[in-house]
Amino acid sequence: QAACMITSRTRTPTPSHHPPTMFAVRASSSIVAGAALRQRASLSAKKFNPLASYVSARPVAKQRASFSVKANNAEPSADGEVDIWRDTPVRYMGYANEVGEAFAAFLPGWGVPASYGVAAVYVMLDTVDKGSKAYKGEEDESQKVKRGAIVTLDTLTWQLLASVFWPGSFIRCVVNATTVALALAHVPELDVNGVDIVKFIPTVAGLVSIRFVVKPIDSTIDYAMSTSVTKALNGKIEGPADAGIALATIGACLALPPALFTLAAAIKEIA
């Protein structure tokens, strides 16, 4: 993020009204520029950072009191450390299953499951990394295991939902729906150097849709986690009503991918 600072000097007042006006324009421009830079810095995919509000420069007691797992956080680490799982190309491993779903028509039978395996490995490695950091960052020896377990479970749940099963099921629906639409429309083959270009249309649709489903999915899982798993792990459930909402929320999150995979299979049968 970039900070915009405006430095004013003491000047002898003059009858002219131009300095205040110029200062106002300059201040307004600085504010707009700062907002643009902050917005640009906030754009990132799969930036789940469960340590965002835990690793800070505040005293340990305050860290623990304000701790919460905040998913999809684009803020840089408080200590400036580069997160290999979030800030480097390694993070694209998390998109393997979505790409696999898009290319399903061109992969062998084991291709799509293998892509899910790659994404799962990424999820596990990132989960271990965040749990380890939480464990090491807890200065209270009696709370180390508890803190590490909370972050590990929260990270694992978020990543499996937002990085693997939700987007994968959505992309499969898109690809199958596009394939069926082309078949029902009786779109003729478009041969280019012996390759039928029409067969690539569902794959292109799947790849393009990745960009549009990631952010909404991340935001939805963020909210769902904050009202269910994250809330429960941090002991914030207050009463039966709160517990009911938490159970219903996480239940719906877990039920959606199987429902979408079933829908995708039904769509495929239409052709």
Side-chain angles (χ1 to χ4, degrees):
Q1 294 184 351
C4 298
M5 302 187 63
I6 303 172
T7 305
S8 60
R9 299 178 182 175
T10 304
R11 297 178 180 177
T12 304
T14 64
S16 172
H17 294 288
H18 292 294
T21 303
M22 292 175 65
F23 179 82
V25 172
R26 206 171 294 151
S28 176
S29 300
S30 298
I31 292 172
V32 172
L37 288 173
R38 285 193 296 273
Q39 181 180 19
R40 194 177 310 134
S42 69
L43 296 177
S44 62
K46 294 187 188 299
K47 289 285 290 180
F48 177 60
N49 185 2
L51 302 177
S53 57
Y54 178 65
V55 181
S56 66
R58 291 176 293 178
V60 175
K62 290 186 178 180
Q63 287 177 353
R64 190 153 50 249
S66 63
F67 173 79
S68 65
V69 177
K70 186 175 181 182
N72 198 33
N73 190 288
E75 297 296 328
S77 300
D79 56 5
E81 178 186 0
V82 175
D83 187 338
I84 187 175
W85 308 108
R86 309 295 173 79
D87 304 323
T88 71
V90 174
R91 69 189 179 91
Y92 290 110
M93 287 176 63
Y95 292 92
N97 62 303
E98 289 135 278
V99 175
E101 289 287 359
F103 281 94
F106 302 97
L107 297 177
W110 52 266
V112 174
S115 72
Y116 275 85
V118 173
V121 168
Y122 165 79
V123 167
M124 294 303 175
L125 291 174
D126 184 52
T127 297
V128 170
D129 177 65
K130 298 306 175 289
S132 175
K133 286 181 178 178
Y135 176 87
K136 295 175 181 178
E138 176 60 63
E139 294 191 7
D140 186 342
E141 290 294 332
S142 66
Q143 295 295 316
K144 278 183 173 290
V145 174
K146 178 181 178 181
R147 186 56 53 194
I150 287 176
V151 173
T152 296
L153 290 173
D154 212 340
T155 304
L156 179 62
T157 304
W158 193 95
Q159 288 283 29
L160 286 175
L161 290 172
S163 296
V164 181
F165 295 114
W166 272 45
S169 58
F170 271 106
I171 300 304
R172 184 175 297 186
C173 284
V174 170
V175 171
N176 287 1
T178 305
T179 302
V180 170
L182 291 172
L184 294 178
H186 302 291
V187 177
E189 292 185 2
L190 180 60
D191 188 275
V192 177
N193 296 326
V195 178
D196 183 8
I197 300 300
V198 175
K199 289 184 178 180
F200 286 90
I201 294 178
T203 296
V204 173
L207 293 174
V208 170
S209 64
I210 293 174
R211 176 179 177 83
F212 296 99
V213 303
V214 167
K215 278 294 182 182
I217 287 176
D218 285 357
S219 299
T220 301
I221 298 300
D222 281 349
Y223 177 78
M225 290 288 290
S226 69
T227 59
S228 58
V229 176
T230 303
K231 199 171 187 179
L233 289 175
N234 286 279
K236 301 297 184 181
I237 299 294
E238 299 177 357
D242 215 14
I245 293 174
L247 287 173
T249 301
I250 192 60
C253 289
L254 293 172
L256 182 62
L260 288 177
F261 283 129
T262 301
L263 174 62
I267 293 173
K268 190 175 182 179
E269 291 298 321
I270 296 176

